[in-house]
Amino acid sequence: MKRILYVEHSACTSQLCQIRDKVRAACQSLAYTDSDINLITLVIDEACTNIIRYAYSGESGRIVLEIFQHEGEAIFHLQDFAKCIDKSCLELRKESLLEPGGLGLQLIYKVMDFVQLLPPKESVGNILELKKYLPKGSQK
Amino acid sequence: MTFVQKTHLHYQLLALTGEVDLHNSPQVRKQLLAIVESGNSVIVDFSSLSYIDSSGIATLVETYNLAKNKQLSLTIVGARGAPLQVLELTNLNKVFPMKDSLDEIKA
């Protein structure tokens, strides 16, 4: 598994713009189309937003983002160091898009090919794993 | 992200520039809700908008619902690129009135 990116940021909304820039650059190096880069960047932003809003709930903390390339997939790991969340937090609600809440999670599921929570390292925090198939012909 | 508000025909137009995310969407929300609360239909100009996240989209939905309740409207103009993709992904491009340019909006 080849690591493409490792970044650590404070869990603060002012950091989101920098995180998006780094995700875009990493996705360009993986030969995704502009359309896919837009959507993957959106999804990582949404995941970071959820960490800031719900995992840390306004408290200070850190977000670690790692991107790996492995056997035809890009693998994104987003780690926080907040209280462990229940897997049910990743369940989609069936509310209308015109109702508040849950939109970020819906976007994550629509764009990514695989979504799961991994057991945290050192028994603290959460690791969200997202996978997206690489464009055909881009794998070496 | 910056925005400029001006009058266009009988609408209030809010032109957004740059990227809307959780950091700045509360500013956009405050501005949009104030426009509708004061009894104006609103046009949101996306022509210079390069990014919008779900908090920005939620703001649009909230404003759209408020406008509808007040017999007013919210129209999006000039969406393309990443912001248009988000609207399409959520199917909200079929909910919000969408126009390519201001020229398509009549008095």
Side-chain angles (χ1 to χ4, degrees), chain A residues 13-14 16-17 20 24 34-36 38-39 41-42 45-46 49 52-53 97-99 103-104 107 110-111, chain B residues 19-23 50-55 57-58 61 64-65 81-82 85-86 89-92 95-96:
Chain A
T13 58
S14 63
L16 291 169
C17 183
R20 289 195 298 271
R24 284 188 192 108
D34 287 347
S35 172
D36 277 343
N38 288 340
L39 295 176
T41 303
L42 171 71
D45 182 85
E46 295 294 342
T49 291
I52 294 167
R53 283 176 115 170
L97 285 174
L98 294 183
E99 300 294 328
L103 180 55
L107 293 170
K110 281 191 175 188
V111 170
Chain B
E19 302 192 333
V20 172
D21 63 13
L22 184 63
H23 189 59
S50 55
Y51 179 82
I52 187 165
D53 77 345
S54 69
S55 70
I57 294 294
V61 169
Y64 170 83
N65 285 336
Q85 278 183 274
V86 183
L89 197 63
T90 53
N91 285 322
L92 287 169
V95 176
F96 300 141

